[in-house]
Amino acid sequence: MKNYIILLIIVFILAGCTSKTNQTTTKATTTNQSVKTTVTSNECSTINSLVTGYESEFDSIKTDKVNNQFTNQWRTNTHLIGSRCTVTLNKSEQVSYQCQTPIKTQTHAVKSHQTLVKQLRQCLSKTGWFESQKETASSIYSSFVLDTKNPVITLSTIQEGNGFSTRFEIAPPLGF
């Protein structure tokens, strides 16, 4: 019960930090009519497989082990973004899946972030996941939380030097 209360407090805090919600429609260039874009079931199956893979420590997507003295880390054969995704098992025995990719321009970084958020929203909202988003001049953070038993899904795009970097992560629930 105590964990549930903590989660609710965090959700309310995150909800207070959210900025304007994203539109799910785009303008058609030739007719100026709104066209609703949808995510295919194949795109959702990748996201759903990653979420369910959390329980098995992502065993089905691990490939070769990376030499690292601080954590156990594996490369993966599933890349939601970029081409360098890893699974990490830290000293506390907590597993996470993370991907990171560099992006050169702010316009492309924001567009890429919003496209993936829309995909996540369409795939996860059907099963009750709560979305929150925070934006600053140099970053966007989007999180999806279901409950204290399921992992937290985070997408962050931040300015790094002259470019930007987008990171996707599926990690242990908050407070654990």
Side-chain angles (χ1 to χ4, degrees):
M1 182 69 174
K2 186 176 182 180
N3 290 337
Y4 181 72
I5 293 170
I6 292 171
L7 179 62
L8 281 175
I9 292 169
I10 291 170
V11 167
F12 285 124
I13 291 169
L14 289 173
C17 295
T18 60
S19 63
K20 62 184 178 183
T21 57
N22 302 318
Q23 299 296 319
T24 59
T25 58
T26 56
K27 291 286 183 181
T29 55
T30 56
T31 62
N32 284 336
Q33 296 177 358
S34 292
V35 177
K36 190 157 190 155
T37 58
T38 58
V39 175
T40 67
S41 61
N42 187 38
E43 291 169 313
C44 285
S45 68
T46 301
I47 292 168
N48 293 334
S49 293
L50 287 169
V51 171
T52 58
Y54 174 80
E55 288 185 28
S56 66
E57 297 183 349
F58 303 103
D59 283 337
S60 65
I61 64 169
K62 291 178 186 173
T63 58
D64 53 321
K65 191 168 183 179
V66 177
N67 289 328
N68 185 331
Q69 63 182 351
F70 302 109
T71 61
N72 291 313
Q73 193 171 53
W74 296 263
R75 290 182 184 88
T76 70
N77 59 13
T78 302
H79 308 283
L80 196 61
I81 62 169
S83 59
R84 298 181 311 190
C85 298
T86 58
V87 170
T88 303
L89 182 65
N90 66 21
K91 300 242 184 228
S92 301
E93 298 296 314
Q94 293 180 320
V95 68
S96 63
Y97 166 86
Q98 56 276 329
C99 302
Q100 189 166 342
T101 188
I103 301 174
K104 292 185 180 187
T105 68
Q106 183 175 15
T107 302
H108 187 253
V110 169
K111 183 177 179 180
S112 175
H113 184 102
Q114 300 301 358
T115 298
L116 186 53
V117 164
K118 181 171 67 174
Q119 179 182 353
L120 289 166
R121 181 183 305 123
Q122 289 181 344
C123 296
L124 298 172
S125 66
K126 297 172 189 170
T127 53
W129 289 73
F130 174 78
E131 174 188 358
S132 65
Q133 185 167 320
K134 181 178 180 182
E135 294 182 44
T136 68
S138 61
S139 65
I140 307 171
Y141 295 92
S142 301
S143 299
F144 292 83
V145 178
L146 181 59
D147 57 28
T148 59
K149 295 176 185 170
N150 285 284
V152 174
I153 299 171
T154 307
L155 181 66
S156 59
T157 300
I158 60 170
Q159 186 171 9
E160 290 185 338
N162 292 333
F164 290 80
S165 177
T166 296
R167 178 179 171 87
F168 176 83
E169 182 173 40
I170 299 176
L174 298 172
F176 292 89

